Amino acid sequence: MPYDFRRPTKLSRDHVRALQMCYETYARRVTTLLTSGLRQLCQVHLVAIEHQSYEEYIATLAPTTILSVLDMGPLPGTALLEFSVPTALACVDYLLGGPGGEQPTRQLTDLESGLLRNLIEQMLSVLRYAVEPTIGLDPALRSIEFNPQFVQAAGASDGVIVGSFQMRVGNQVCVSTLCIPFASLLPRLQVGKEGRIQTAGEQQAEQQAARQVRAALGNVPVEVSLSFQPVQLTPNEIVRLEPGDVINLRHRVTTPLVVQSGGITFAHALAGRQGSRLAGLVVSNDRRKNP
């Protein structure tokens, strides 16, 4: 399987199953909430769980939609709960005792926004209950936006986990999405993984993946530097430096040079020559051996 360096970490099957159970619980309880609260036949069920970039997710949304911006305490980052404007207007119409029917795509009035905000907060209570055993998410509604391009919940290339739900409210049908930053979600999904006994198949797959990474990275050229110990100068000394000035390195001849790559010291070496070229003789290796 090709290794995607843009998304080096993906959801495992165990993580997808854990999220699937949470989201299916959420879908069942939201179905009950909407049916009883709106007194209409409503149905919500899980369609898919996908790992995307934030830019890819925003590109799938309609230009005008209901976008609930959520705080995810105690997790860092911002989550998004989205569904269509006609579905939101149908919910408001049913709450006010109306017949529902076809709804336009327009921004909501202050009265409609207040009613919708209360309904979304009830949906978030259901979400909190559904994900409590696995994620421990405590979502809180920050604001409701209508244009996805004005919401910057994450960087364009940041990974997000998008749960898609088919949402039916009366005669209105749409796909509702729940977007959570992948970096915030993954640590909670991995809790307890270290103590779980892996099957033989999982161990073999993990070892195979490690061998593939080592084989792919083993011949990649990297820059390596040999450097003396740093010298401290005052700002006045730096300003007064001129061509021809000599700086005392204060590096003892018997002290090895530092061998670094990417700012990480992995060895020490003595300065020397190999033929007509300067060279370094490695005298110690500080790398930790990995099993």
Side-chain angles (χ1 to χ4, degrees):
M1 180 180 295
Y3 191 83
D4 190 347
F5 286 91
R6 294 173 300 176
R7 297 175 189 169
T9 305
K10 293 186 177 181
L11 283 179
S12 68
R13 292 178 181 177
D14 289 341
H15 296 161
V16 173
R17 283 196 294 268
L19 286 176
Q20 183 177 355
M21 289 188 293
C22 293
Y23 287 171
E24 287 177 347
T25 301
Y26 165 74
R28 289 193 301 270
R29 295 182 69 90
V30 164
T31 296
T32 303
L33 170 70
L34 295 178
T35 300
S36 60
L38 304 180
R39 295 180 176 84
Q40 291 292 325
L41 179 61
C42 301
Q43 188 175 15
V44 179
H45 69 264
L46 178 65
V47 176
I49 299 175
E50 298 175 291
H51 184 189
Q52 303 176 342
S53 70
Y54 182 73
E55 184 178 32
E56 291 171 341
Y57 168 67
I58 290 296
T60 63
L61 302 182
T64 302
T65 187
I66 301 297
L67 206 59
S68 304
V69 183
L70 313 177
D71 290 323
M72 299 193 304
L75 304 185
T78 300
L80 301 174
L81 177 63
E82 177 269 340
F83 52 92
S84 70
V85 174
T87 301
L89 289 173
C91 291
V92 172
D93 194 41
Y94 289 135
L95 285 172
L96 295 175
E102 294 298 323
Q103 301 291 334
T105 299
R106 60 170 176 80
Q107 289 199 0
L108 277 65
T109 65
D110 291 341
L111 175 61
E112 292 169 338
S113 296
L115 292 172
L116 182 63
R117 187 182 187 92
N118 182 59
L119 180 62
I120 292 175
E121 288 176 344
Q122 295 180 51
M123 296 171 63
L124 294 182
S125 297
V126 172
L127 178 62
R128 184 182 303 113
Y129 170 84
V131 301
E132 177 63 29
T134 303
I135 305 173
L137 184 66
D138 187 16
L141 181 59
R142 184 193 306 169
S143 62
I144 298 177
E145 304 292 340
F146 298 95
N147 191 332
Q149 301 301 323
F150 293 160
V151 179
Q152 191 62 39
S157 60
D158 291 349
V160 293
I161 303 301
V162 180
S164 301
F165 305 84
Q166 186 179 67
M167 184 174 181
R168 178 184 293 273
V169 177
N171 63 343
Q172 291 292 332
V173 181
C174 73
V175 176
S176 173
T177 59
L178 175 63
C179 171
I180 302 178
F182 178 64
S184 302
L185 196 60
L186 183 60
R188 288 302 179 95
L189 293 174
Q190 289 180 327
V191 171
K193 180 182 177 183
E194 296 77 6
R196 182 177 62 86
I197 299 176
Q198 291 183 316
T199 64
E202 290 175 331
Q203 292 177 354
Q204 184 177 2
E206 185 175 332
Q207 293 170 1
Q208 177 65 19
R211 285 194 295 269
Q212 290 177 341
V213 173
R214 293 192 190 100
L217 298 180
N219 296 321
V220 176
V222 295
E223 293 185 359
V224 177
S225 64
L226 278 71
S227 58
F228 296 93
Q229 291 180 347
V231 177
Q232 291 185 348
L233 297 176
T234 64
N236 289 333
E237 290 173 331
I238 295 174
V239 171
R240 290 198 297 267
L241 286 177
E242 296 180 357
D245 289 348
V246 177
I247 298 177
N248 184 3
L249 296 180
R250 304 185 183 94
H251 189 102
R252 295 179 179 271
V253 177
T254 56
T255 302
L257 305 178
V258 175
V259 185
Q260 292 183 324
S261 178
I264 298 176
T265 300
F266 63 90
H268 293 84
L270 294 177
R273 287 182 179 274
Q274 186 176 32
S276 61
R277 295 183 177 183
L278 293 174
L281 175 64
V282 176
V283 294
S284 68
N285 191 328
D286 295 336
R287 289 180 298 177
R288 297 180 178 176
K289 300 296 183 180
N290 293 322

